[in-house]
């Protein structure tokens, strides 16, 4: 006698063991993928809220010092009047 259930497992025993192994590895791989994705997202910068409009971009350029106030006002007037 090999084990307490006789000479070996019947068909249902093999099925249960196989299904359990597939379920175990599936859960383990799913947990690893979810953990990896959550760690990957933690390093990302937050996305901007909506598209940036031309006036907002112009204001950002003024704040960074790329353009002076006179050029800012000139370009802002051109944007608001619809001139190219």
């Amino acid at each position: 006698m090999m084990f307490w259930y006789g000479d070996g497992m019947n068909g249902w025993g093999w099925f249960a063991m196989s299904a359990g192994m597939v379920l175990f590895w599936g859960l383990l791989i799913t947990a690893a993928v979810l953990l990896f994705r959550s760690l990957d997202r933690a390093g990302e910068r937050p996305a901007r809220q909506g598209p940036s409009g031309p006036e907002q971009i112009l204001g950002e350029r003024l704040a960074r010092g790329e353009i002076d106030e006179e050029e800012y006002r000139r370009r802002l007037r051109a944007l608001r009047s619809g001139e190219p």
Side-chain angles (χ1 to χ4, degrees):
M1 185 186 283
M2 200 174 204
F3 296 104
W4 58 91
Y5 48 77
D7 294 331
M9 281 191 265
N10 62 12
W12 288 110
W14 283 105
F15 174 78
M17 186 176 67
S18 299
M21 186 61 70
V22 168
L23 183 63
F24 168 76
W25 284 109
L27 289 174
L28 190 67
I29 291 170
T30 301
V33 167
L34 291 176
L35 178 66
F36 178 76
R37 284 185 179 179
S38 68
L39 292 175
D40 190 36
R41 287 188 188 138
E44 292 179 0
R45 294 185 334 185
R48 289 186 177 186
Q49 301 296 325
S52 297
E55 290 184 15
Q56 183 179 353
I57 293 171
L58 195 58
E60 290 172 0
R61 290 187 64 196
L62 175 67
R64 286 192 299 263
E66 294 176 6
I67 58 174
D68 61 359
E69 189 174 344
E70 181 182 331
E71 187 174 354
Y72 169 77
R73 291 184 190 279
R74 184 176 54 81
R75 290 181 183 224
L76 188 61
R77 274 194 309 268
L79 279 173
R80 290 184 175 165
S81 68
E83 294 177 19

